[in-house]
Amino acid sequence: MSEKYIKDKFLYEGKAKKLYTIKGSKDLLIQEFKDDATAFNALKKGTIENKGIINNEITAYIFNFLKKNGIKTHFVEKISDSEMVVKRLKIILIEVVVRNIAAGSLLKKTNFTEGKVLKDPIVEFYYKDDALGDPLINDSHALAMGIATESDMKTLKKMAEAINSLLKPFFKKRHLKLVDFKLEFGKDSKGKIMLGDEITPDTCRLWDDKTNEKLDKDRFRFDLGKVNESYVEVKKRICI
Amino acid sequence: MSEKYIKDKFLYEGKAKKLYTIKGSKDLLIQEFKDDATAFNALKKGTIENKGIINNEITAYIFNFLKKNGIKTHFVEKISDSEMVVKRLKIILIEVVVRNIAAGSLLKKTNFTEGKVLKDPIVEFYYKDDALGDPLINDSHALAMGIATESDMKTLKKMAEAINSLLKPFFKKRHLKLVDFKLEFGKDSKGKIMLGDEITPDTCRLWDDKTNEKLDKDRFRFDLGKVNESYVEVKKRICI
């Protein structure tokens, strides 16, 4: 671990990551990636070998790419195998999902069959609330609950679309189809909205562009085997 | 029944209404209200005494009121106790729900408790598809499925908000709180979007403004008793 950042206090443990404060810094945190994996609103639990290390490396690579392309993110730098320094954000309690190809829960609210390529991306907002099971919401729910302003919602949608426009060709070049992915955003100390969390096979559906083989957390969700191997393969293709 | 309109062929039977063609007319239909009642995506079935007659009268009254206030609707005229003539519309496969007070399914996707008055109305779109259980969708789902255009979606939202602004004081004057309600829209032969379907205690949550007593289909849904009596009471208060 870099000498610049000295881990101070444990702050928060999520399903796949832990957060720590940094000695002498108010605006930065250490984000540590775990091997723990959960699915179906944490009804299914397990671990994926080396996931923490792999996802830290993938997130660092992708967030660097996004930063270079003008997307504001919380990423500062990777400081160890499973840790990165990030800006401290006040998380907006909305998960933004972008879909390019029909899969997962979309099949339950449309008549699309899995694999249907969407003419235009679908952007969805989910209310981050485990007790409610992260329900789909729309702008007017978010406003009514006071979890985001109208301008925040517009920014989330715009940024999600911009990130999708950058990531689709990024993955295509790496022989992966970006089927769908989940983003989380937060506000820094000045109220500026930026991308937080991670972008990994935990939060994206990624299919091999020739065989449509699933190379993401669906292998864990549905016991498809070769879970760790798929994460390794994705890392290899991404971090070139 | 009026001599002007001669019932021709049976066209369609829904959960609460039947549609018939009219001899010599391509653009008009007869909409007949039934006593049948269903709830929970038709898992619960029953009848409510005189509901057809009551809901025909209430819908005629409210649609007349909306027409006078500039809302385009399919309503032409009431022609018998349980029948009205309506313009033939190509129905848009979206149910638009407007909420002023938290109740029903909103309690499952937010932390609002029943009765919470919303600062601004919530407008929701549901995909009319029984097999999928009428799921909540957003604009991008509707566009992706090709069930409405971006301009259609804007019109639906605007019209729903305009109707809510008219109906809230309309019901208040009648000592009823308009908690929430469902609207359906369609396009006439020229492609003009207008309000279709019905507005009744089947499609609105209506509470007494002093006691908060439920005076709508929730009495049937949750076996609260006095079902027919509540529909009669609502009709009495509305049609003055």
Side-chain angles (χ1 to χ4, degrees), chain B residues 147-158:
Chain B
I147 56 180
T149 66
E150 207 165 337
S151 140
D152 291 344
M153 296 303 283
K154 274 191 192 139
T155 303
L156 295 192
K157 189 164 188 218
K158 253 198 202 158

Side-chain angles (χ1 to χ4, degrees), chain A residues 106-112 118 121-125 127 129 132 135-138 140-141 143-145, chain B residues 106-112 118-119 121-125 127 129 132 135-138 140-141 143-145:
Chain A
L106 186 67
L107 309 178
K108 290 179 195 159
K109 40 182 172 271
T110 63
N111 288 308
F112 292 135
L118 305 170
I122 286 177
V123 180
E124 298 173 333
F125 300 118
Y127 177 31
D129 185 299
L132 295 167
L136 179 74
I137 58 167
N138 66 30
S140 67
H141 296 117
L143 302 193
M145 290 191 279
Chain B
L106 186 66
L107 310 179
K108 290 179 197 159
K109 39 181 171 272
T110 63
N111 287 307
F112 292 136
L118 305 170
K119 254 188 326 188
I122 286 177
V123 180
E124 298 172 333
F125 300 118
Y127 177 32
D129 185 299
L132 295 169
L136 178 74
I137 59 167
N138 66 31
S140 67
H141 296 117
L143 301 193
M145 290 191 279

Side-chain angles (χ1 to χ4, degrees), chain B residues 61-207:
Chain B
Y61 194 97
I62 294 179
F63 275 57
N64 254 326
F65 164 77
L66 292 174
K67 276 177 88 165
K68 272 184 210 144
N69 285 279
I71 304 291
K72 297 256 177 282
T73 88
H74 72 156
F75 178 68
V76 178
E77 62 175 305
K78 185 167 172 286
I79 55 165
S80 78
D81 278 357
S82 63
E83 294 166 310
M84 56 174 56
V85 170
V86 296
K87 283 179 196 136
R88 187 172 194 148
L89 301 183
K90 198 163 170 258
I91 285 294
I92 298 169
L93 289 175
I94 291 175
E95 296 188 348
V96 184
V97 170
V98 183
R99 301 175 179 276
N100 297 305
I101 296 175
S105 69
L106 186 66
L107 310 179
K108 290 179 197 159
K109 39 181 171 272
T110 63
N111 287 307
F112 292 136
T113 47
E114 189 180 77
K116 158 85 182 171
V117 177
L118 305 170
K119 254 188 326 188
D120 294 303
I122 286 177
V123 180
E124 298 172 333
F125 300 118
Y126 291 88
Y127 177 32
K128 257 176 88 71
D129 185 299
D130 284 338
L132 295 169
D134 297 340
L136 178 74
I137 59 167
N138 66 31
D139 291 46
S140 67
H141 296 117
L143 301 193
M145 290 191 279
I147 56 180
T149 66
E150 207 165 337
S151 140
D152 291 344
M153 296 303 283
K154 274 191 192 139
T155 303
L156 295 192
K157 189 164 188 218
K158 253 198 202 158
M159 286 183 75
E161 286 170 341
I163 291 164
N164 187 45
S165 296
L166 290 165
L167 289 187
K168 262 176 70 174
F170 172 93
F171 280 107
K172 196 179 157 75
K173 214 190 274 178
R174 288 155 174 88
H175 306 293
L176 290 166
K177 285 182 191 169
L178 180 58
V179 174
D180 56 41
F181 58 103
K182 186 252 312 182
L183 301 171
E184 296 189 24
F185 295 85
K187 290 181 179 177
D188 69 5
S189 53
K190 287 169 191 150
K192 180 98 193 151
I193 292 180
M194 46 188 75
L195 180 65
D197 200 47
E198 61 179 293
I199 296 181
T200 64
D202 273 14
T203 64
C204 303
R205 280 195 177 85
L206 300 167
W207 295 354

